[in-house]
């Protein structure tokens, strides 16, 4: 008779380890030059926008030269404001608006330090006090004049206005240094008044030309009024 007893299943030995999976191929090394040229975005029209250039790895001398060149170009505009703004040429066509957008505080800081140092040297024993007073006066006065222009609805930003007012102190700083040299030989109140008056008119004229472009015509007088007293006080500090 047939044996109906089920035979036990045969047990096969299990593998001790799974076979290794194939690894994906390693990406090829990309040079730094190709990384810099890698496009950031691909517009719909098919054009490729490259990554913007960086200045983090440029030499320090190149950075200083570029900043000094920018300061010199802004000083040239301050010294000849009517040549760049006015007449048939608008502020947009003259390139002054772009210069104002690229504001910096290095130039105003150097001008403020030059004015403070020259007045402190001429003050004798009260030099440190005069230095601190002039330094605070320049920045605080520029901030107050800027806030006044902002409240009057001016379209110029805070730091652009501070930059313009700081650069326009340059004629007064030149007058202070010039009088420091003149006082080493002789002192004349008439010469002092003439030099300071010329520098005051030059500074006020330059700042009014620039700031007046961003203030409406009916409010321009209210914006120019604090500018007048700002440079008047600086001129008075040079005379005393």
């Amino acid at each position: 008779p047939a044996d109906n007893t089920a035979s036990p299943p045969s047990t096969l030995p299990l593998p001790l380890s799974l076979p290794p999976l194939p690894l994906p191929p390693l990406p090829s090394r990309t040079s730094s030059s190709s990384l810099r040229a890698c496009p950031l975005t691909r517009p719909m029209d098919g054009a490729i926008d490259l990554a913007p250039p960086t200045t983090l790895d440029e030499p320090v001398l190149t950075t200083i030269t570029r900043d000094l060149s920018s300061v010199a170009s802004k000083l040239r505009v301050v010294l000849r404001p009517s040549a760049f703004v006015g007449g048939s040429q608008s502020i947009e066509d003259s390139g002054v608006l772009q210069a104002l957008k690229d504001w910096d505080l290095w130039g105003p800081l150097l001008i403020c330090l030059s004015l403070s140092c020259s007045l402190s040297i001429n003050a004798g024993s009260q030099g440190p006090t005069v230095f601190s007073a002039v330094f605070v006066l320049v920045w605080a006065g520029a901030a107050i004049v800027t806030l006044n222009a902002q409240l009057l609805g001016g379209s110029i930003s805070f730091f652009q206005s501070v930059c313009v007012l700081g650069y326009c102190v340059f004629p007064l700083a030149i007058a202070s240094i010039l009088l420091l040299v003149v006082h080493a030989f002789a002192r004349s109140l008439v010469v002092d008044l003439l030099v300071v008056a010329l520098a005051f008119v030059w500074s006020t004229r330059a700042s009014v030309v620039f700031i007046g472009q961003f203030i409406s015509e009916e409010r321009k007088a209210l914006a120019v009024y604090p500018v007048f007293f700002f440079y008047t006080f600086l001129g008075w500090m040079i005379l005393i």
Side-chain angles (χ1 to χ4, degrees), residues 57-140:
D57 55 349
E58 69 177 6
V60 178
L61 183 59
T62 303
T63 304
I64 295 176
T65 304
R66 186 182 63 253
D67 291 342
L68 290 179
S69 177
S70 176
V71 170
S73 63
K74 291 183 177 67
L75 287 178
R76 187 167 60 251
V77 174
V78 168
L79 292 176
R80 299 180 58 195
S82 300
F84 296 89
V85 180
S88 59
Q89 192 178 24
S90 63
I91 188 172
E92 290 85 2
D93 298 334
S94 61
V96 177
L97 185 59
Q98 183 61 34
L100 292 179
K101 289 181 179 179
D102 299 334
W103 57 267
D104 68 273
L105 298 180
W106 288 111
L109 177 61
L110 294 176
I111 295 172
C112 180
L113 290 176
S114 301
L115 180 62
S116 301
C117 290
S118 61
L119 292 181
S120 63
I121 293 174
N122 200 24
S125 60
Q126 296 181 349
T129 304
V130 173
F131 181 91
S132 303
V134 174
F135 190 88
V136 173
L137 174 65
V138 171
W139 293 106

Side-chain angles (χ1 to χ4, degrees), residues 8-38:
S10 61
T11 58
L12 298 176
L14 296 176
L16 297 179
S17 61
L18 296 176
L21 298 176
L23 296 177
L26 295 176
S28 59
R29 298 182 61 183
T30 307
S31 62
S32 59
S33 60
S34 61
L35 286 176
R36 287 195 296 266
C38 179

Side-chain angles (χ1 to χ4, degrees), residues 39 41-49:
T41 59
R42 292 182 179 272
M44 298 301 295
D45 57 357
I48 298 177
D49 293 334

Side-chain angles (χ1 to χ4, degrees), residues 112-229:
C112 180
L113 290 176
S114 301
L115 180 62
S116 301
C117 290
S118 61
L119 292 181
S120 63
I121 293 174
N122 200 24
S125 60
Q126 296 181 349
T129 304
V130 173
F131 181 91
S132 303
V134 174
F135 190 88
V136 173
L137 174 65
V138 171
W139 293 106
I144 293 174
V145 173
T146 299
L147 290 177
N148 178 71
Q150 293 285 324
L151 294 176
L152 292 176
S155 58
I156 188 172
S157 69
F158 180 84
F159 288 107
Q160 287 174 359
S161 179
V162 171
C163 175
V164 170
L165 293 171
Y167 273 105
C168 290
V169 180
F170 182 67
L172 289 171
I174 293 297
S176 177
I177 297 174
L178 179 61
L179 291 180
L180 183 64
V181 176
V182 172
H183 291 168
F185 301 96
R187 287 180 176 268
S188 175
L189 181 60
V190 177
V191 175
D192 294 353
L193 288 174
L194 290 177
V195 172
V196 173
L198 178 61
F200 165 76
V201 172
W202 208 326
S203 297
T204 306
R205 170 61 178 168
S207 59
V208 168
V209 165
F210 296 132
I211 296 181
Q213 300 288 330
F214 303 94
I215 305 294
S216 59
E217 192 65 30
E218 60 272 9
R219 296 181 177 181
K220 187 175 295 186
L222 295 176
V224 173
Y225 184 73
V227 175
F228 176 82
F229 278 100

